[in-house]
């Protein structure tokens, strides 16, 4: 499923901006803020396909009523953003949030660029915050150090306060927790955004109580870092023709295809040609095993179909989900608030089939990259396949992992996926611009719905492995080691 949410995104300025009081202008009075929520209510009620996937229409209406009352009382941009985010998270949709990348430059600078970020990278092991990389000057913060408290708040309590702000599909809290890790893999870290807004440091310094892997507990005072400093840990932006994936051989006759990103909408790199060459090379080298490493990959284009095509010798029907929308044409009074990259989204349901309950089923068309059938493609790979998964796999990567597991094309190894077996919302998006607050909310347009009842859950791997504290201390990748060992013995 294509996810183009960042096409229109504006980059936040690197400097720090103060929060703009919403009451400083007549445009930001209570009535104007109430109108923002009236626009949001109307747009989401009429257009969002997953608004009532997990709750009743009556519950949604009551939540909108509370949001309208709460939003009108906000005094600054920070509080308005948090209030909106908390509401959007109740939709329980991984593609519904006040997207960091789609806010205006001014809003992004005010909310996200400040010196309010922890100078560490970390993972959550259950509710334990474990340092994976030290970005401060205090050498005591070695990998494996547990952050017990931050400014007197227990790390576990902080996690519990942040979870209700975070997007995910259904009850998949593993996805929410994964988004609240800091791994220096994205230009905005979800944890940085919400932690910085809720718990900013006192006079620019965080006081941490830490428990190192060896030795006694200690209290550290660490200067906060800003967005520009956080981004120094990221690789340089790749050019539009630069390969996003790589193929190597960590063991004899075992290939490793690392795929951390399937968003191909803004690249001229020929990823299909890369896969052609990669599979030809694997066959030439007589590889007996293939590891597809999807960890950290939320999805994007349906690149996995081109992998599956090399693993089959006959047409493979995929488990189908109905694709539904809530409208034939967008209401004209809403059009002024709906940004998108494709004007045809405003008539998305024009030829859809009315299936009742306010839904229209979309027919397939030749330009749709969501297919029901995958045809074989040469060269065919005859070896064993393992897919490494984690909670970030929640859209196209979830669908690929599901197809691999359901059709016994390979084994899943690692952590349970994100996404949800009950279906997701995405495919196309409006970027809903709220005029009084200046905030944006993503509005997915196409809902996928299973034809038979499914659990409210991601996928459970065939072999479940999670990183341990000992792994982090040793810098060990036990998931990859396990996959190599399984294929070597195959």
């Amino acid at each position: 499923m294509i996810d183009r949410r960042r096409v229109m995104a504006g980059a936040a300025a690197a400097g720090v901006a103060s929060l703009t009081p919403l009451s400083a202008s007549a445009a930001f009075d209570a009535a104007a803020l109430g109108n923002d929520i009236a626009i949001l209510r109307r747009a989401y009620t009429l257009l969002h396909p997953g608004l009532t996937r997990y709750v009743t229409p009556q519950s949604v209406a009551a939540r909108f009523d509370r949001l309208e009352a709460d939003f009108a009382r906000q005094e600054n941009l920070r509080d308005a953003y948090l209030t909106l985010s908390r509401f959007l998270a109740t939709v329980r949709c991984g593609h519904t949030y006040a997207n960091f990348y789609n806010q205006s430059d001014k809003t992004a600078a005010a909310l996200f660029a400040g010196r309010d970020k922890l100078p560490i990278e970390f993972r959550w092991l259950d509710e334990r915050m474990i340092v994976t990389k030290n970005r401060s000057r205090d050498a005591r913060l070695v990998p494996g150090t547990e952050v017990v408290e931050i400014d007197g708040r227990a790390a576990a309590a902080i996690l519990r306060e942040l979870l209700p702000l975070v997007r995910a599909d259904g009850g998949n809290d593993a996805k929410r927790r994964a988004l609240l890790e800091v791994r220096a893999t994205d230009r905005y870290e979800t944890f940085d955004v919400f932690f910085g807004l809720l718990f900013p440091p006192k006079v620019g310094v965080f006081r941490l109580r830490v428990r190192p892997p060896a030795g006694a507990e200690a209290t550290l005072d660490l200067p906060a870092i800003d967005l520009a400093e956080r981004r120094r840990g990221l690789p340089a932006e790749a050019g539009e023709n630069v390969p996003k994936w790589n193929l190597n051989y960590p063991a004899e006759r075992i290939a490793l295809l690392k795929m951390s990103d399937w968003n191909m909408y803004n690249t001229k790199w020929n990823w299909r040609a890369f896969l052609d060459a990669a599979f030809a090379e694997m066959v030439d080298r007589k590889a007996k095993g293939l590891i597809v490493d999807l960890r950290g990959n939320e999805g994007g284009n349906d690149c996995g179909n081109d992998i599956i095509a090399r693993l089959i010798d006959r047409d493979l029907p995929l488990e189908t989900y109905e694709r539904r929308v809530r409208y034939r044409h967008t209401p004209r009074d809403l059009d002024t608030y709906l940004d998108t990259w494709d004007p045809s989204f405003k008539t998305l349901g024009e030829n859809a089939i009315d299936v009742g309950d306010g839904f229209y089923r979309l027919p397939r068309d030749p330009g749709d990259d969501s297919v029901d059938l995958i045809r074989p493609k040469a060269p065919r790979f005859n070896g064993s396949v393992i897919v490494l998964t984690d909670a970030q796999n929640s859209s196209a990567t979830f669908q690929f992992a599901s197809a691999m597991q359901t059709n016994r094309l390979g084994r899943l190894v690692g952590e349970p996926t994100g996404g949800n077996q009950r279906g997701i919302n995405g495919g196309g998006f409006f970027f809903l611009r709220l005029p009084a607050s200046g905030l944006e909310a993503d509005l997915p347009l196409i809902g996928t719905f299973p034809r038979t009842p499914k659990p409210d859950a991601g996928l459970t791997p065939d072999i479940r492995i999670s990183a341990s504290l000992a792994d982090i201390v040793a810098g060990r990748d036990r998931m990859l080691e396990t996959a190599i060992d399984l294929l070597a013995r195959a």
Side-chain angles (χ1 to χ4, degrees):
M1 176 176 287
I2 292 179
D3 181 352
R4 296 186 175 92
R5 287 173 294 159
R6 298 181 185 176
V7 169
M8 302 180 66
V16 179
S18 61
L19 297 177
T20 302
L22 296 182
S23 59
S25 163
F28 294 131
D29 62 18
L33 289 176
N35 188 54
D36 270 6
I37 304 308
I39 293 167
L40 182 79
R41 183 198 293 256
R42 182 161 164 75
Y44 270 52
T45 301
L46 295 178
L47 308 178
H48 196 300
L51 195 61
T52 57
R53 191 190 293 268
Y54 296 102
V55 295
T56 65
Q58 293 78 13
S59 295
V60 171
R63 288 175 182 174
F64 269 117
D65 290 343
R66 289 194 297 272
L67 174 65
E68 189 165 358
D70 291 343
F71 203 71
R73 292 195 295 266
Q74 303 312 305
E75 297 180 354
N76 57 55
L77 187 59
R78 178 195 63 200
D79 293 343
Y81 182 80
L82 289 170
T83 299
L84 178 62
S85 295
R86 188 170 280 105
F87 168 81
L88 294 175
T90 67
V91 180
R92 302 171 78 185
C93 166
H95 288 137
T96 298
Y97 74 120
N99 195 326
F100 318 139
Y101 295 88
N102 291 336
Q103 304 304 320
S104 69
D105 289 349
K106 180 179 178 181
T107 296
L111 292 174
F112 312 143
R115 190 170 294 279
D116 54 13
K117 296 157 186 60
L118 285 173
I120 60 172
E121 295 169 23
F122 66 88
R123 294 200 59 184
W124 293 104
L125 299 186
D126 295 323
E127 292 188 333
R128 300 172 66 195
M129 178 186 281
I130 307 298
V131 176
T132 55
K133 186 173 181 179
N134 183 10
R135 301 283 296 278
S136 78
R137 295 181 179 180
D138 195 315
R140 291 174 289 180
L141 275 175
V142 297
T145 299
E146 179 180 356
V147 177
V148 180
E149 288 183 354
I150 304 170
D151 290 335
R153 294 183 181 87
I158 290 171
L159 174 62
R160 289 193 290 268
E161 289 199 52
L162 295 182
L163 282 171
L165 292 159
V166 179
R167 62 185 173 92
D169 295 296
N172 198 329
D173 277 347
K175 170 69 173 183
R176 295 180 176 90
R177 190 162 46 247
L179 285 171
L180 289 171
E181 296 178 336
V182 175
R183 302 196 192 189
T185 57
D186 221 338
R187 294 187 64 76
Y188 291 113
E189 298 278 357
T190 300
F191 178 87
D192 282 348
V193 169
F194 293 126
F195 177 78
L197 295 177
L198 277 176
F199 308 116
K202 300 172 183 176
V203 294
V205 174
F206 291 109
R207 172 159 288 185
L208 273 60
R209 185 163 66 88
V210 301
R211 184 179 296 131
E217 286 192 359
T219 298
L220 313 178
D221 288 333
L222 303 178
I225 61 175
D226 63 15
L227 182 63
E229 290 171 286
R230 174 70 80 205
R231 287 178 173 175
R232 287 178 194 150
L234 293 176
E237 288 285 332
E240 58 184 15
N241 289 309
V242 175
K244 293 190 173 190
W245 311 328
N246 63 74
L247 177 70
N248 59 65
Y249 296 83
E252 185 178 0
R253 297 181 62 201
I254 295 175
L256 171 62
L257 182 58
K258 175 65 177 174
M259 311 177 86
S260 58
D261 182 11
W262 281 4
N263 280 310
M264 300 299 164
Y265 56 82
N266 61 352
T267 181
K268 294 183 180 179
W269 175 56
N270 191 336
W271 60 270
R272 288 188 172 89
F274 176 93
L275 289 178
D276 288 340
F279 276 91
E281 179 182 315
M282 284 183 250
V283 171
D284 288 344
R285 294 182 61 152
K286 296 182 172 55
K288 69 172 186 176
L290 167 62
I291 301 168
V292 182
D293 189 350
L294 296 181
R295 291 174 295 177
N297 187 337
E298 288 201 77
N301 294 67
D302 286 326
C303 304
N305 291 344
D306 279 56
I307 296 174
I308 290 174
R310 268 78 172 205
L311 307 179
I312 56 178
D313 58 6
R314 66 194 68 183
D315 289 352
L316 178 68
L318 295 178
E319 181 180 24
T320 57
Y321 282 62
E322 276 195 0
R323 300 166 67 248
R324 301 178 188 171
V325 297
R326 293 296 305 276
Y327 65 99
R328 293 198 184 277
H329 306 265
T330 56
R332 289 187 178 180
D333 63 296
L334 288 177
D335 283 347
T336 188
Y337 309 114
L338 302 175
D339 271 351
T340 187
W341 66 91
D342 187 344
S344 71
F345 287 161
K346 294 185 177 179
T347 56
L348 188 59
E350 191 170 38
N351 298 313
I353 301 164
D354 190 339
V355 293
D357 293 328
F359 283 101
Y360 303 91
R361 187 175 69 242
L362 288 177
R364 298 290 181 182
D365 64 70
D368 184 5
D369 72 347
S370 300
V371 299
D372 294 329
L373 185 76
I374 299 178
R375 300 188 183 281
K377 186 173 183 179
R380 182 167 182 248
F381 181 76
N382 292 307
S384 300
V385 181
I386 286 177
V387 181
L388 299 184
T389 62
D390 68 10
Q392 293 284 21
N393 305 145
S394 52
S395 186
T397 46
F398 167 87
Q399 293 164 350
F400 169 71
S402 178
M404 291 291 293
Q405 188 176 59
T406 301
N407 295 286
R408 301 179 183 273
L409 298 174
R411 288 173 286 181
L412 307 187
V413 173
E415 298 173 338
T417 69
N420 203 290
Q421 295 180 54
R422 288 190 183 178
I424 61 175
N425 315 297
F429 291 85
F430 288 132
F431 311 121
L432 181 64
R433 309 283 178 188
L434 304 178
S437 61
L439 296 174
E440 181 274 350
D442 277 11
L443 173 51
L445 306 180
I446 301 172
T448 57
F449 293 85
R451 299 179 188 275
T452 57
K454 298 284 186 180
D456 176 7
L459 303 171
T460 300
D462 301 286
I463 301 174
R464 183 168 178 170
I465 300 174
S466 296
S468 68
L469 180 59
D471 294 336
I472 293 173
V473 171
R476 180 185 179 191
D477 189 343
R478 195 153 47 92
M479 292 183 204
L480 181 57
E481 289 178 7
T482 300
I484 293 171
D485 183 60
L486 288 168
L487 293 176
R489 292 189 283 109

